[in-house]
Amino acid sequence: MATMRAVLIKDGQGPVENLYIGETEKPAPKEGQVLVKIVAFGLNRMDLSQREGRYPVPPGASAILGVEFSGHVEQVGLGVSKWSQGDEVFGLAAGVSEAATKYAQVSDGLTVAYQVIVKYGELNEGDDVLVHAGASGVGVAAIQIARTYGARTVTATASSNEKLDWLLSIPNGATHVANYKSEDFSERVNEVTNGKGVDIVVDFVGRTHWEKNINSLAFDGRMILLSFLSGSEVPSVNLTPILYKRLKIQGSTLRSRSLQYQCELVNSVTFQDIVAKITGSEGNGPIRTYIHEVVYPWTNIQEAHKEMAENNNRGKIVCMVS
């Protein structure tokens, strides 16, 4: 049996100290798949939740941590004509290791941001948008996509003034900000929109933000829920505003969606247009990738998890495989 190294969890779940690099079975590409040699991978909140036993792995997916990666094609399965050995690729996998089976050329933060702003958020030119966790990988991508495709204002929330200043400073960054720890972001939103409210809310937080999110939404507003970092149960909910403001509330996942759905998503005309607009942080594209100031060797995976758990990152936390 061929083996490879991967980020594994002692006892299947537990504290950050349970993470280690170990040997596991190496996959072989099936028909229509390629095997990718991983060079770098991005950290996501689902990785922390999965490690803690709070994120059930979708049926058929690997229990290996990690979904977002870049690397080069190592082996090509039957029926694959678009990719060749040695091609540089980025994308999503069921689990990140030294090697991973790859289906489509996508990035988790970018794809989720496209899904919530364009597909579910139904962004129209002139819309007002509220993005929580603005300094996260998904948050930064969502802000830039909204700005690029015609949003009138994008208000971002974060936990520190340092993050908020950064979001205001980057090209196509937030137009307005709110520190959710020290101010009521719904009041800020209503000030920015002259009382109208926002057309789209992108929320990762859940319980503590629920009422203020509803207050922030305009008539016919759309709220997309990505996670519940503060909890998933709201003790008391007044349904009246949902009815009279004609609100649409949408849950959003990606990893558990079918291969067909993911392929259709990334092959859409708008998504491919977004990909064509991306450059690095020092480039001149309207949508740029921002990497957290510390890039971790994957042998320091415990430190990377701690950094995300403490909400210290601005942009994507990336680990390099050596």
Side-chain angles (χ1 to χ4, degrees):
M1 179 185 72
T3 62
M4 63 181 180
R5 294 180 300 162
V7 177
L8 303 175
I9 313 170
K10 182 182 178 181
D11 301 324
Q13 65 181 58
V16 70
E17 290 76 18
N18 281 25
L19 292 174
Y20 70 99
I21 307 297
E23 293 288 328
T24 191
E25 183 177 359
K26 182 177 181 178
K30 300 176 183 178
E31 184 175 356
Q33 297 181 343
V34 299
L35 189 71
V36 175
K37 179 73 172 180
I38 304 302
V39 174
F41 62 88
L43 202 61
N44 292 279
R45 284 282 173 182
M46 74 173 70
D47 298 319
L48 276 66
S49 297
Q50 183 179 331
R51 169 178 57 77
E52 295 168 349
R54 298 185 292 106
Y55 181 91
V57 177
S62 169
I64 295 173
L65 285 176
V67 293
E68 188 175 12
F69 67 87
S70 64
H72 60 264
V73 175
E74 183 177 272
Q75 189 178 347
V76 177
L78 292 174
V80 175
S81 58
K82 184 176 181 179
W83 307 104
S84 301
Q85 187 174 7
D87 283 350
E88 294 183 342
V89 293
F90 65 94
L92 297 177
V96 169
S97 51
E98 287 186 306
T101 50
K102 178 182 181 297
Y103 301 102
Q105 187 177 4
V106 292
S107 160
D108 181 63
L110 177 68
T111 313
V112 171
Y114 162 71
Q115 184 173 244
V116 299
I117 293 295
V118 178
K119 185 176 178 63
Y120 293 150
E122 301 172 348
L123 178 73
N124 297 305
E125 188 168 354
D127 276 354
D128 297 292
V129 180
L130 171 62
V131 178
H132 293 300
S136 67
V138 174
V140 174
I143 291 167
Q144 294 179 93
I145 290 172
R147 289 288 308 279
T148 300
Y149 287 90
R152 187 182 74 88
T153 68
V154 179
T155 301
T157 70
S159 59
S160 72
N161 291 334
E162 180 184 24
K163 290 182 179 181
L164 297 176
D165 290 343
W166 177 69
L167 289 170
L168 289 169
S169 71
I170 62 175
N172 269 343
T175 59
H176 303 82
V177 294
N179 186 325
Y180 69 85
K181 288 189 173 182
S182 60
E183 60 185 308
D184 184 334
F185 61 79
S186 66
E187 293 181 359
R188 178 64 172 145
V189 159
N190 280 293
E191 175 188 338
V192 169
T193 62
N194 296 316
K196 176 184 80 73
V198 293
D199 303 285
I200 301 171
V201 171
V202 179
D203 185 48
F204 304 77
V205 183
R207 181 181 60 81
T208 59
H209 282 21
W210 173 267
E211 185 174 353
K212 289 190 283 287
N213 281 338
I214 298 298
N215 293 340
S216 297
L217 281 162
F219 279 84
D220 298 308
R222 289 85 70 192
M223 177 162 65
I224 300 90
L225 303 175
L226 291 171
S227 186
F228 306 110
L229 297 178
S230 69
S232 59
E233 296 185 7
V234 182
S236 178
V237 176
N238 180 2
L239 298 176
T240 305
I242 299 175
L243 177 64
Y244 80 75
K245 289 205 287 186
R246 303 183 297 271
L247 303 181
K248 181 187 292 185
I249 299 172
Q250 169 87 48
S252 177
T253 62
L254 184 59
R255 188 182 185 189
S256 61
R257 299 302 294 258
S258 68
L259 172 60
Q260 179 181 351
Y261 174 89
Q262 294 189 38
C263 288
E264 290 175 353
L265 191 73
V266 301
N267 287 321
S268 67
V269 173
T270 304
F271 183 81
Q272 290 300 319
D273 183 60
I274 289 171
V275 171
K277 289 178 166 63
I278 298 172
T279 65
S281 59
E282 301 303 316
N284 59 3
I287 301 172
R288 306 184 189 186
T289 56
Y290 293 95
I291 296 174
H292 182 51
E293 58 188 5
V294 179
V295 175
Y296 294 90
W298 77 326
T299 50
N300 288 1
I301 187 63
Q302 293 185 8
E303 298 304 314
H305 270 236
K306 290 176 183 177
E307 188 80 343
M308 175 164 281
E310 294 170 0
N311 294 317
N312 290 330
N313 58 299
R314 294 189 308 183
K316 174 62 65 176
I317 293 179
V318 171
C319 298
M320 302 294 295
V321 177
S322 56

